[in-house]
mmCIF file of all heavy atoms in Angstrom:
data_model
loop_
_atom_site.group_PDB
_atom_site.id
_atom_site.type_symbol
_atom_site.label_atom_id
_atom_site.label_comp_id
_atom_site.label_asym_id
_atom_site.label_seq_id
_atom_site.Cartn_x
_atom_site.Cartn_y
_atom_site.Cartn_z
ATOM 1 N N PHE K 93 -11.586 25.645 -8.395
ATOM 2 C CA PHE K 93 -12.315 26.735 -7.766
ATOM 3 C C PHE K 93 -11.827 28.089 -8.283
ATOM 4 O O PHE K 93 -10.631 28.329 -8.399
ATOM 5 C CB PHE K 93 -12.178 26.682 -6.252
ATOM 6 C CG PHE K 93 -12.654 25.384 -5.651
ATOM 7 C CD1 PHE K 93 -11.980 24.800 -4.605
ATOM 8 C CD2 PHE K 93 -13.773 24.733 -6.152
ATOM 9 C CE1 PHE K 93 -12.413 23.611 -4.045
ATOM 10 C CE2 PHE K 93 -14.213 23.544 -5.606
ATOM 11 C CZ PHE K 93 -13.529 22.976 -4.546
ATOM 12 N N GLN K 94 -12.779 28.944 -8.587
ATOM 13 C CA GLN K 94 -12.479 30.277 -9.103
ATOM 14 C C GLN K 94 -12.231 31.209 -7.925
ATOM 15 O O GLN K 94 -13.132 31.504 -7.157
ATOM 16 C CB GLN K 94 -13.654 30.792 -9.937
ATOM 17 C CG GLN K 94 -13.992 29.917 -11.112
ATOM 18 C CD GLN K 94 -12.828 29.784 -12.071
ATOM 19 O OE1 GLN K 94 -12.266 30.765 -12.512
ATOM 20 N NE2 GLN K 94 -12.458 28.554 -12.388
ATOM 21 N N ASN K 95 -10.985 31.630 -7.800
ATOM 22 C CA ASN K 95 -10.652 32.625 -6.782
ATOM 23 C C ASN K 95 -9.374 33.350 -7.178
ATOM 24 O O ASN K 95 -8.721 32.991 -8.150
ATOM 25 C CB ASN K 95 -10.549 31.991 -5.387
ATOM 26 C CG ASN K 95 -9.445 30.969 -5.280
ATOM 27 O OD1 ASN K 95 -8.321 31.216 -5.721
ATOM 28 N ND2 ASN K 95 -9.738 29.825 -4.710
ATOM 29 N N LYS K 96 -9.033 34.353 -6.418
ATOM 30 C CA LYS K 96 -7.886 35.202 -6.777
ATOM 31 C C LYS K 96 -6.555 34.460 -6.733
ATOM 32 O O LYS K 96 -5.581 34.907 -7.326
ATOM 33 C CB LYS K 96 -7.840 36.424 -5.869
ATOM 34 C CG LYS K 96 -7.654 36.091 -4.398
ATOM 35 C CD LYS K 96 -7.720 37.325 -3.542
ATOM 36 C CE LYS K 96 -7.616 36.892 -2.079
ATOM 37 N NZ LYS K 96 -7.739 37.958 -1.164
ATOM 38 N N ASN K 97 -6.484 33.317 -6.053
ATOM 39 C CA ASN K 97 -5.227 32.579 -5.940
ATOM 40 C C ASN K 97 -4.982 31.608 -7.097
ATOM 41 O O ASN K 97 -3.904 31.038 -7.207
ATOM 42 C CB ASN K 97 -5.178 31.812 -4.620
ATOM 43 C CG ASN K 97 -5.207 32.757 -3.436
ATOM 44 O OD1 ASN K 97 -4.570 33.800 -3.457
ATOM 45 N ND2 ASN K 97 -5.968 32.410 -2.425
ATOM 46 N N ASN K 98 -5.972 31.369 -7.933
ATOM 47 C CA ASN K 98 -5.810 30.447 -9.059
ATOM 48 C C ASN K 98 -5.670 31.249 -10.344
ATOM 49 O O ASN K 98 -6.642 31.707 -10.913
ATOM 50 C CB ASN K 98 -6.996 29.477 -9.143
ATOM 51 C CG ASN K 98 -6.987 28.497 -7.991
ATOM 52 O OD1 ASN K 98 -5.960 28.268 -7.371
ATOM 53 N ND2 ASN K 98 -8.135 27.928 -7.695
ATOM 54 N N GLU K 99 -4.421 31.399 -10.769
ATOM 55 C CA GLU K 99 -4.151 32.188 -11.970
ATOM 56 C C GLU K 99 -4.709 31.494 -13.206
ATOM 57 O O GLU K 99 -5.135 30.345 -13.153
ATOM 58 C CB GLU K 99 -2.651 32.475 -12.116
ATOM 59 C CG GLU K 99 -1.786 31.257 -12.256
ATOM 60 C CD GLU K 99 -1.339 30.643 -10.940
ATOM 61 O OE1 GLU K 99 -1.731 31.114 -9.870
ATOM 62 O OE2 GLU K 99 -0.616 29.656 -10.996
ATOM 63 N N VAL K 100 -4.684 32.200 -14.325
ATOM 64 C CA VAL K 100 -5.323 31.757 -15.559
ATOM 65 C C VAL K 100 -4.884 30.370 -16.005
ATOM 66 O O VAL K 100 -5.702 29.518 -16.330
ATOM 67 C CB VAL K 100 -5.056 32.790 -16.689
ATOM 68 C CG1 VAL K 100 -5.596 32.293 -18.016
ATOM 69 C CG2 VAL K 100 -5.663 34.118 -16.328
ATOM 70 N N ASN K 101 -3.592 30.096 -16.017
ATOM 71 C CA ASN K 101 -3.144 28.803 -16.554
ATOM 72 C C ASN K 101 -3.008 27.714 -15.495
ATOM 73 O O ASN K 101 -2.479 26.648 -15.769
ATOM 74 C CB ASN K 101 -1.840 28.969 -17.352
ATOM 75 C CG ASN K 101 -0.655 29.302 -16.483
ATOM 76 O OD1 ASN K 101 -0.800 29.584 -15.302
ATOM 77 N ND2 ASN K 101 0.516 29.283 -17.071
ATOM 78 N N PHE K 102 -3.503 27.963 -14.300
ATOM 79 C CA PHE K 102 -3.422 26.961 -13.234
ATOM 80 C C PHE K 102 -4.147 25.670 -13.627
ATOM 81 O O PHE K 102 -3.606 24.575 -13.480
ATOM 82 C CB PHE K 102 -3.991 27.534 -11.928
ATOM 83 C CG PHE K 102 -3.929 26.586 -10.768
ATOM 84 C CD1 PHE K 102 -2.708 26.242 -10.209
ATOM 85 C CD2 PHE K 102 -5.084 26.047 -10.221
ATOM 86 C CE1 PHE K 102 -2.641 25.374 -9.135
ATOM 87 C CE2 PHE K 102 -5.034 25.185 -9.148
ATOM 88 C CZ PHE K 102 -3.803 24.843 -8.597
ATOM 89 N N SER K 103 -5.353 25.791 -14.149
ATOM 90 C CA SER K 103 -6.120 24.606 -14.568
ATOM 91 C C SER K 103 -5.364 23.820 -15.632
ATOM 92 O O SER K 103 -5.312 22.584 -15.583
ATOM 93 C CB SER K 103 -7.494 24.996 -15.115
ATOM 94 O OG SER K 103 -8.255 25.633 -14.131
ATOM 95 N N TYR K 104 -4.781 24.529 -16.568
ATOM 96 C CA TYR K 104 -4.012 23.887 -17.637
ATOM 97 C C TYR K 104 -2.849 23.082 -17.049
ATOM 98 O O TYR K 104 -2.638 21.922 -17.405
ATOM 99 C CB TYR K 104 -3.489 24.945 -18.616
ATOM 100 C CG TYR K 104 -2.615 24.382 -19.709
ATOM 101 C CD1 TYR K 104 -3.171 23.817 -20.849
ATOM 102 C CD2 TYR K 104 -1.229 24.412 -19.595
ATOM 103 C CE1 TYR K 104 -2.368 23.291 -21.851
ATOM 104 C CE2 TYR K 104 -0.425 23.891 -20.590
ATOM 105 C CZ TYR K 104 -0.987 23.332 -21.719
ATOM 106 O OH TYR K 104 -0.189 22.807 -22.690
ATOM 107 N N GLN K 105 -2.103 23.692 -16.142
ATOM 108 C CA GLN K 105 -0.962 23.006 -15.523
ATOM 109 C C GLN K 105 -1.400 21.758 -14.770
ATOM 110 O O GLN K 105 -0.752 20.714 -14.852
ATOM 111 C CB GLN K 105 -0.233 23.956 -14.567
ATOM 112 C CG GLN K 105 0.444 25.123 -15.237
ATOM 113 C CD GLN K 105 0.951 26.140 -14.218
ATOM 114 O OE1 GLN K 105 0.975 25.891 -13.015
ATOM 115 N NE2 GLN K 105 1.336 27.308 -14.698
ATOM 116 N N VAL K 106 -2.497 21.866 -14.044
ATOM 117 C CA VAL K 106 -2.997 20.751 -13.240
ATOM 118 C C VAL K 106 -3.439 19.585 -14.125
ATOM 119 O O VAL K 106 -3.005 18.442 -13.932
ATOM 120 C CB VAL K 106 -4.171 21.211 -12.342
ATOM 121 C CG1 VAL K 106 -4.909 20.031 -11.732
ATOM 122 C CG2 VAL K 106 -3.658 22.154 -11.255
ATOM 123 N N ILE K 107 -4.294 19.852 -15.086
ATOM 124 C CA ILE K 107 -4.828 18.786 -15.938
ATOM 125 C C ILE K 107 -3.716 18.164 -16.787
ATOM 126 O O ILE K 107 -3.651 16.946 -16.948
ATOM 127 C CB ILE K 107 -5.991 19.296 -16.816
ATOM 128 C CG1 ILE K 107 -7.111 19.901 -15.951
ATOM 129 C CG2 ILE K 107 -6.529 18.172 -17.699
ATOM 130 C CD1 ILE K 107 -7.695 18.973 -14.904
ATOM 131 N N LYS K 108 -2.828 18.980 -17.293
ATOM 132 C CA LYS K 108 -1.712 18.471 -18.094
ATOM 133 C C LYS K 108 -0.833 17.527 -17.261
ATOM 134 O O LYS K 108 -0.458 16.448 -17.730
ATOM 135 C CB LYS K 108 -0.876 19.632 -18.636
ATOM 136 C CG LYS K 108 0.231 19.202 -19.573
ATOM 137 C CD LYS K 108 0.952 20.410 -20.147
ATOM 138 C CE LYS K 108 2.054 20.003 -21.078
ATOM 139 N NZ LYS K 108 2.753 21.169 -21.635
ATOM 140 N N ALA K 109 -0.521 17.908 -16.039
ATOM 141 C CA ALA K 109 0.294 17.061 -15.157
ATOM 142 C C ALA K 109 -0.404 15.732 -14.881
ATOM 143 O O ALA K 109 0.223 14.670 -14.905
ATOM 144 C CB ALA K 109 0.585 17.790 -13.845
ATOM 145 N N LEU K 110 -1.711 15.788 -14.641
ATOM 146 C CA LEU K 110 -2.464 14.562 -14.375
ATOM 147 C C LEU K 110 -2.488 13.642 -15.594
ATOM 148 O O LEU K 110 -2.238 12.437 -15.481
ATOM 149 C CB LEU K 110 -3.889 14.890 -13.944
ATOM 150 C CG LEU K 110 -4.779 13.663 -13.710
ATOM 151 C CD1 LEU K 110 -4.285 12.874 -12.502
ATOM 152 C CD2 LEU K 110 -6.212 14.071 -13.547
ATOM 153 N N LEU K 111 -2.788 14.194 -16.761
ATOM 154 C CA LEU K 111 -2.840 13.383 -17.983
ATOM 155 C C LEU K 111 -1.490 12.724 -18.257
ATOM 156 O O LEU K 111 -1.421 11.540 -18.587
ATOM 157 C CB LEU K 111 -3.280 14.224 -19.178
ATOM 158 C CG LEU K 111 -4.684 14.815 -19.122
ATOM 159 C CD1 LEU K 111 -4.944 15.701 -20.337
ATOM 160 C CD2 LEU K 111 -5.742 13.749 -18.989
ATOM 161 N N ARG K 112 -0.422 13.491 -18.113
ATOM 162 C CA ARG K 112 0.923 12.936 -18.336
ATOM 163 C C ARG K 112 1.241 11.823 -17.341
ATOM 164 O O ARG K 112 1.804 10.798 -17.704
ATOM 165 C CB ARG K 112 1.975 14.031 -18.239
ATOM 166 C CG ARG K 112 2.031 14.895 -19.466
ATOM 167 C CD ARG K 112 3.178 15.859 -19.392
ATOM 168 N NE ARG K 112 3.318 16.553 -20.660
ATOM 169 C CZ ARG K 112 4.132 17.549 -20.854
ATOM 170 N NH1 ARG K 112 4.884 18.001 -19.867
ATOM 171 N NH2 ARG K 112 4.195 18.133 -22.036
ATOM 172 N N HIS K 113 0.881 12.046 -16.079
ATOM 173 C CA HIS K 113 1.138 11.040 -15.044
ATOM 174 C C HIS K 113 0.390 9.739 -15.341
ATOM 175 O O HIS K 113 0.970 8.660 -15.315
ATOM 176 C CB HIS K 113 0.743 11.584 -13.667
ATOM 177 C CG HIS K 113 0.875 10.594 -12.577
ATOM 178 N ND1 HIS K 113 2.083 10.322 -11.960
ATOM 179 C CD2 HIS K 113 -0.034 9.778 -11.984
ATOM 180 C CE1 HIS K 113 1.897 9.388 -11.051
ATOM 181 N NE2 HIS K 113 0.630 9.046 -11.036
ATOM 182 N N MET K 114 -0.895 9.864 -15.598
ATOM 183 C CA MET K 114 -1.710 8.676 -15.867
ATOM 184 C C MET K 114 -1.224 7.933 -17.105
ATOM 185 O O MET K 114 -1.180 6.708 -17.130
ATOM 186 C CB MET K 114 -3.180 9.066 -16.042
ATOM 187 C CG MET K 114 -3.830 9.542 -14.779
ATOM 188 S SD MET K 114 -3.914 8.188 -13.586
ATOM 189 C CE MET K 114 -4.919 8.874 -12.336
ATOM 190 N N ASN K 115 -0.843 8.685 -18.119
ATOM 191 C CA ASN K 115 -0.355 8.094 -19.365
ATOM 192 C C ASN K 115 0.995 7.407 -19.149
ATOM 193 O O ASN K 115 1.207 6.285 -19.604
ATOM 194 C CB ASN K 115 -0.259 9.171 -20.442
ATOM 195 C CG ASN K 115 -0.359 8.602 -21.829
ATOM 196 O OD1 ASN K 115 -0.441 7.404 -22.039
ATOM 197 N ND2 ASN K 115 -0.348 9.485 -22.800
ATOM 198 N N SER K 116 1.904 8.057 -18.441
ATOM 199 C CA SER K 116 3.237 7.485 -18.230
ATOM 200 C C SER K 116 3.189 6.223 -17.374
ATOM 201 O O SER K 116 3.987 5.310 -17.557
ATOM 202 C CB SER K 116 4.182 8.518 -17.605
ATOM 203 O OG SER K 116 3.838 8.759 -16.262
ATOM 204 N N LYS K 117 2.250 6.177 -16.439
ATOM 205 C CA LYS K 117 2.093 4.994 -15.578
ATOM 206 C C LYS K 117 1.210 3.932 -16.229
ATOM 207 O O LYS K 117 0.959 2.880 -15.651
ATOM 208 C CB LYS K 117 1.497 5.388 -14.225
ATOM 209 C CG LYS K 117 2.314 6.383 -13.442
ATOM 210 C CD LYS K 117 3.526 5.737 -12.865
ATOM 211 C CE LYS K 117 4.276 6.733 -11.984
ATOM 212 N NZ LYS K 117 5.557 6.245 -11.572
ATOM 213 N N LYS K 118 0.695 4.237 -17.424
ATOM 214 C CA LYS K 118 -0.189 3.331 -18.174
ATOM 215 C C LYS K 118 -1.462 2.987 -17.406
ATOM 216 O O LYS K 118 -2.066 1.953 -17.604
ATOM 217 C CB LYS K 118 0.543 2.046 -18.578
ATOM 218 C CG LYS K 118 1.814 2.266 -19.369
ATOM 219 C CD LYS K 118 1.504 2.596 -20.803
ATOM 220 C CE LYS K 118 2.755 2.604 -21.650
ATOM 221 N NZ LYS K 118 3.106 3.873 -22.182
ATOM 222 N N ILE K 119 -1.867 3.890 -16.526
ATOM 223 C CA ILE K 119 -3.129 3.696 -15.799
ATOM 224 C C ILE K 119 -4.277 3.943 -16.764
ATOM 225 O O ILE K 119 -5.168 3.127 -16.911
ATOM 226 C CB ILE K 119 -3.202 4.633 -14.569
ATOM 227 C CG1 ILE K 119 -2.051 4.304 -13.605
ATOM 228 C CG2 ILE K 119 -4.547 4.516 -13.872
ATOM 229 C CD1 ILE K 119 -1.830 5.328 -12.511
ATOM 230 N N PHE K 120 -4.246 5.124 -17.397
ATOM 231 C CA PHE K 120 -5.163 5.459 -18.476
ATOM 232 C C PHE K 120 -4.331 6.067 -19.598
ATOM 233 O O PHE K 120 -3.430 6.863 -19.338
ATOM 234 C CB PHE K 120 -6.225 6.468 -18.037
ATOM 235 C CG PHE K 120 -7.143 5.989 -16.960
ATOM 236 C CD1 PHE K 120 -7.193 6.620 -15.733
ATOM 237 C CD2 PHE K 120 -7.973 4.890 -17.170
ATOM 238 C CE1 PHE K 120 -8.044 6.180 -14.729
ATOM 239 C CE2 PHE K 120 -8.823 4.443 -16.166
ATOM 240 C CZ PHE K 120 -8.861 5.079 -14.949
ATOM 241 N N THR K 121 -4.649 5.716 -20.824
ATOM 242 C CA THR K 121 -3.896 6.265 -21.955
ATOM 243 C C THR K 121 -4.788 7.053 -22.909
ATOM 244 O O THR K 121 -4.297 7.666 -23.849
ATOM 245 C CB THR K 121 -3.185 5.135 -22.733
ATOM 246 O OG1 THR K 121 -4.158 4.169 -23.134
ATOM 247 C CG2 THR K 121 -2.126 4.474 -21.869
ATOM 248 N N ARG K 122 -6.075 7.044 -22.653
ATOM 249 C CA ARG K 122 -7.018 7.810 -23.474
ATOM 250 C C ARG K 122 -8.058 8.431 -22.554
ATOM 251 O O ARG K 122 -8.564 7.791 -21.637
ATOM 252 C CB ARG K 122 -7.694 6.890 -24.484
ATOM 253 C CG ARG K 122 -8.474 7.640 -25.505
ATOM 254 C CD ARG K 122 -8.799 6.761 -26.669
ATOM 255 N NE ARG K 122 -9.397 7.573 -27.700
ATOM 256 C CZ ARG K 122 -9.972 7.091 -28.754
ATOM 257 N NH1 ARG K 122 -10.004 5.798 -28.957
ATOM 258 N NH2 ARG K 122 -10.514 7.894 -29.631
ATOM 259 N N PHE K 123 -8.375 9.690 -22.830
ATOM 260 C CA PHE K 123 -9.276 10.435 -21.963
ATOM 261 C C PHE K 123 -10.402 11.061 -22.762
ATOM 262 O O PHE K 123 -10.209 11.494 -23.890
ATOM 263 C CB PHE K 123 -8.502 11.538 -21.228
ATOM 264 C CG PHE K 123 -7.394 11.009 -20.386
ATOM 265 C CD1 PHE K 123 -6.124 10.858 -20.923
ATOM 266 C CD2 PHE K 123 -7.615 10.640 -19.078
ATOM 267 C CE1 PHE K 123 -5.089 10.351 -20.159
ATOM 268 C CE2 PHE K 123 -6.584 10.131 -18.301
ATOM 269 C CZ PHE K 123 -5.320 9.984 -18.839
ATOM 270 N N PHE K 124 -11.565 11.119 -22.145
ATOM 271 C CA PHE K 124 -12.744 11.740 -22.717
ATOM 272 C C PHE K 124 -13.233 12.794 -21.729
ATOM 273 O O PHE K 124 -13.099 12.623 -20.525
ATOM 274 C CB PHE K 124 -13.854 10.711 -22.943
ATOM 275 C CG PHE K 124 -13.475 9.634 -23.908
ATOM 276 C CD1 PHE K 124 -12.789 8.502 -23.477
ATOM 277 C CD2 PHE K 124 -13.787 9.747 -25.256
ATOM 278 C CE1 PHE K 124 -12.426 7.506 -24.371
ATOM 279 C CE2 PHE K 124 -13.424 8.757 -26.156
ATOM 280 C CZ PHE K 124 -12.743 7.635 -25.717
ATOM 281 N N ALA K 125 -13.806 13.872 -22.251
ATOM 282 C CA ALA K 125 -14.344 14.920 -21.389
ATOM 283 C C ALA K 125 -15.557 15.536 -22.056
ATOM 284 O O ALA K 125 -15.557 15.778 -23.260
ATOM 285 C CB ALA K 125 -13.290 15.994 -21.135
ATOM 286 N N GLY K 126 -16.580 15.766 -21.294
ATOM 287 C CA GLY K 126 -17.758 16.463 -21.800
ATOM 288 C C GLY K 126 -17.818 17.846 -21.170
ATOM 289 O O GLY K 126 -17.418 18.029 -20.033
ATOM 290 N N THR K 127 -18.305 18.802 -21.921
ATOM 291 C CA THR K 127 -18.423 20.147 -21.372
ATOM 292 C C THR K 127 -19.572 20.885 -22.057
ATOM 293 O O THR K 127 -19.928 20.580 -23.192
ATOM 294 C CB THR K 127 -17.098 20.931 -21.519
ATOM 295 O OG1 THR K 127 -17.229 22.187 -20.868
ATOM 296 C CG2 THR K 127 -16.709 21.134 -22.963
ATOM 297 N N ASP K 128 -20.134 21.816 -21.345
ATOM 298 C CA ASP K 128 -21.196 22.661 -21.879
ATOM 299 C C ASP K 128 -20.600 23.551 -22.966
ATOM 300 O O ASP K 128 -19.526 24.126 -22.788
ATOM 301 C CB ASP K 128 -21.757 23.507 -20.728
ATOM 302 C CG ASP K 128 -22.989 24.291 -21.097
ATOM 303 O OD1 ASP K 128 -22.966 24.997 -22.139
ATOM 304 O OD2 ASP K 128 -23.970 24.237 -20.350
ATOM 305 N N LYS K 129 -21.294 23.691 -24.078
ATOM 306 C CA LYS K 129 -20.789 24.530 -25.174
ATOM 307 C C LYS K 129 -20.594 25.977 -24.747
ATOM 308 O O LYS K 129 -19.766 26.692 -25.293
ATOM 309 C CB LYS K 129 -21.738 24.464 -26.373
ATOM 310 C CG LYS K 129 -21.717 23.126 -27.066
ATOM 311 C CD LYS K 129 -22.702 23.079 -28.210
ATOM 312 C CE LYS K 129 -22.689 21.680 -28.822
ATOM 313 N NZ LYS K 129 -23.656 21.544 -29.899
ATOM 314 N N LYS K 130 -21.368 26.419 -23.764
ATOM 315 C CA LYS K 130 -21.257 27.798 -23.278
ATOM 316 C C LYS K 130 -20.059 27.995 -22.353
ATOM 317 O O LYS K 130 -19.680 29.119 -22.058
ATOM 318 C CB LYS K 130 -22.532 28.190 -22.535
ATOM 319 C CG LYS K 130 -23.771 28.222 -23.410
ATOM 320 C CD LYS K 130 -24.988 28.504 -22.569
ATOM 321 C CE LYS K 130 -26.262 28.232 -23.351
ATOM 322 N NZ LYS K 130 -27.425 28.180 -22.472
ATOM 323 N N ASN K 131 -19.481 26.898 -21.886
ATOM 324 C CA ASN K 131 -18.347 26.980 -20.973
ATOM 325 C C ASN K 131 -17.067 27.178 -21.784
ATOM 326 O O ASN K 131 -16.306 26.251 -22.036
ATOM 327 C CB ASN K 131 -18.267 25.713 -20.116
ATOM 328 C CG ASN K 131 -17.258 25.844 -18.999
ATOM 329 O OD1 ASN K 131 -16.396 26.710 -19.022
ATOM 330 N ND2 ASN K 131 -17.365 24.946 -18.033
ATOM 331 N N LEU K 132 -16.853 28.406 -22.187
ATOM 332 C CA LEU K 132 -15.734 28.732 -23.073
ATOM 333 C C LEU K 132 -14.384 28.418 -22.438
ATOM 334 O O LEU K 132 -13.469 27.958 -23.117
ATOM 335 C CB LEU K 132 -15.802 30.197 -23.494
ATOM 336 C CG LEU K 132 -17.079 30.606 -24.245
ATOM 337 C CD1 LEU K 132 -17.038 32.079 -24.598
ATOM 338 C CD2 LEU K 132 -17.283 29.751 -25.478
#
Side-chain angles (χ1 to χ4, degrees):
F93 302 141
Q94 301 300 307
N95 63 47
K96 62 184 176 183
N97 297 320
N98 291 339
E99 61 273 3
V100 175
N101 69 351
F102 181 69
S103 298
Y104 177 83
Q105 294 171 11
V106 167
I107 303 303
K108 185 176 180 180
L110 177 67
L111 297 176
R112 283 186 172 172
H113 176 82
M114 291 295 189
N115 205 357
S116 71
K117 301 286 185 189
K118 304 282 189 246
I119 299 168
F120 297 118
T121 56
R122 190 164 187 191
F123 300 90
F124 298 86
T127 185
D128 188 309
K129 290 178 183 178
K130 296 175 193 166
N131 190 343
L132 300 179

